[in-house]
Each structure stands twice: as structure tokens, then as C-alpha cells.
């Protein structure tokens, strides 16, 4: 937790307009750098190594992992320049009793401290593979202990319509790309940490978009309940 002056500063930043707040963040980073406050400790070293394959259950409520070659997934590391961002990736397909499929893509990186090293928005990966992107706003998902904000968009390409829900983590917090993530990067940087994090992407195919997004929200809730408590904060925050 940040106390005292740091807490006051972050409360002030939340109240500012976006352009002003971004300016304050950049100024704060510049001041920190000029005073030699360069982060030097990797946050994950205080928590232990994260293994995506072992952390994500193969059975999640009514959903079970399957091999589904007919559902080609968009690769988050498709661009060679992005491959250096991620220490691990995991792609899986799950199906429930009704035959509905959900695709899960995770991209984890040990250094999320700057724009150059942080996970990129999945819209970039979809656009890079020829998809037309339609943003669908920010939507809250109520979990067992708290709620998280997730971003929605729809990707379309040659008759394929894919509804996508995603969020980004930094250490044990959820922060969507933008001001929220920059504030978290600054917070951990002032504490001396090089922070880790991941992009969590949930998607499915289908033209009935409200139904697809509803199923994805339920899957997110089921995934959170199925996960071990020791790794859960690193996927869903606290």
C-alpha cells in the first residue's frame, strides 16, 4: 500500500482530466528518473514464478478443455516485435455441455513497467491479422470478492465474427490500457519494482453478440472460482 504523500497524489490524479493527468504522470516519471529512482527489483521475485499452464484448470465449472483445431485462434505474438514482450503464452479452447466454445489466450510478461515492454492491446493483434475492429465499451464483471473492468470489442474477417473480452493485470491489480495502467506503473515504480503482468483475452465466435458476451462473463466468473487462491490475484487482482 502507498501511504502519506503518495496516496494523496494518486487520489489527485484520479480527479484530474485525462490530458492533465497524463501530463502529471509523465512529469512524475521524469522527476523520479532524474533522481535516480529507477526500479531495480522484479515484483514476481517476491511472489514466485508464475506457470500459466499449471495455474489455469482444465475443468472450469461446466467447461472442459478440448482440442479444437477448427477454431483458429488469433496469436498475440504474431508480430515478431511483440514476441520479446511475453515470457509465457497460453492458448486454450473450452466447451460446455451445450456445445458452446470459449477461447482463452493469456500472454504474460515479467516486465510491464513501460509502454515499450507492456502487453499491447489485443485490438492491435487482430488488426494486424486483417480483422475489422468494432469497440464495444468497458463492462464490469462481478467476481466472488470484487468486480473488475473488462474491455469488449468485435473482430470481423471474411465471415468470421469474434466477440472479445479482455483485461490487463499489473502484479496483483487489474488496470486496462490507458491512464489506469500508467498510474499503476508509476505506483510500483516509486516502490522500486519492475512489475510483471499479463493480457487475459476471452473470445468466442457467433453473430449473436449479446449472447456471446454474456457467456464470456459467466466463463470469467467460473474461471475465477476454479483457480487456486494463491495465484488468483495475479489473474484477477484484489
Amino acid at each position: 500500500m502507498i501511504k502519506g504523500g503518495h496516496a494523496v497524489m494518486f487520489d489527485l490524479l484520479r480527479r484530474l482530466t485525462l490530458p492533465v493527468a497524463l501530463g502529471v504522470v509523465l512529469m512524475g516519471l521524469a522527476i523520479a528518473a532524474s533522481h535516480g529512482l529507477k526500479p531495480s527489483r522484479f515484483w514476481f521475485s517476491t511472489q514466485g514464478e508464475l506457470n500459466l499452464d499449471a495455474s489455469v484448470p482444465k475443468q472450469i465449472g461446466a467447461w472442459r478443455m478440448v482440442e479444437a483445431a477448427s477454431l483458429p485462434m488469433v496469436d498475440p505474438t504474431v508480430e515478431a516485435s511483440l514476441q520479446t514482450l511475453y515470457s509465457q503464452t497460453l492458448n486454450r479452447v473450452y466447451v460446455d455441455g451445450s456445445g458452446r466454445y470459449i477461447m482463452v489466450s493469456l500472454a504474460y510478461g515479467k516486465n510491464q513497467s513501460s509502454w515499450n515492454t507492456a502487453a499491447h492491446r489485443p485490438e492491435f493483434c487482430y488488426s494486424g491479422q486483417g480483422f475489422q475492429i468494432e469497440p464495444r465499451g468497458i463492462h464490469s464483471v462481478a467476481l466472488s470478492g470484487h468486480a473488475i473492468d473488462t474491455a469488449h470489442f468485435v473482430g470481423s474477417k471474411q465471415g468470421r465474427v469474434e466477440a472479445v473480452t479482455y483485461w490487463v493485470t499489473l502484479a496483483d491489480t487489474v488496470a486496462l490500457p490507458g491512464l489506469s495502467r500508467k498510474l499503476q506503473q508509476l505506483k510500483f515504480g516509486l516502490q522500486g519494482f519492475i512489475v510483471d503482468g499479463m493480457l487475459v483475452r476471452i473470445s468466442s465466435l457467433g453473430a449473436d453478440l449479446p449472447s456471446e458476451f454474456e457467456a464470456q462473463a459467466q466463463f470469467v466468473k467460473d474461471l475465477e472460482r476454479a483457480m487456486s487462491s494463491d495465484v488468483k490475484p495475479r489473474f484477477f487482482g484484489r
Side-chain angles (χ1 to χ4, degrees), residues 201-230:
R201 189 184 81 207
I202 312 295
S203 65
S204 55
L205 305 178
D208 186 354
L209 296 174
S211 177
E212 297 302 327
F213 283 121
E214 182 179 356
Q216 291 171 23
Q218 185 58 53
F219 180 87
V220 171
K221 295 177 182 180
D222 292 341
L223 175 60
E224 192 257 352
R225 283 194 290 265
M227 272 195 167
S228 171
S229 59
D230 60 331

Side-chain angles (χ1 to χ4, degrees), residues 14-35:
R14 293 189 186 96
R15 298 170 184 270
L16 297 176
T17 62
L18 179 58
V20 174
L22 287 175
V24 173
V25 169
L26 293 175
M27 183 175 65
L29 290 173
I31 293 173
S34 68
H35 285 77

Side-chain angles (χ1 to χ4, degrees), residues 164-218:
V164 181
T165 296
Y166 77 88
W167 67 93
V168 175
T169 69
L170 288 173
D172 57 358
T173 65
V174 171
L176 290 173
L179 177 60
S180 176
R181 181 162 63 168
K182 291 183 185 298
L183 289 175
Q184 292 298 331
Q185 289 169 338
L186 178 59
K187 181 189 78 171
F188 284 103
L190 290 172
Q191 293 176 326
F193 284 116
I194 299 170
V195 69
D196 69 347
M198 76 181 85
L199 166 67
V200 182
R201 189 184 81 207
I202 312 295
S203 65
S204 55
L205 305 178
D208 186 354
L209 296 174
S211 177
E212 297 302 327
F213 283 121
E214 182 179 356
Q216 291 171 23
Q218 185 58 53

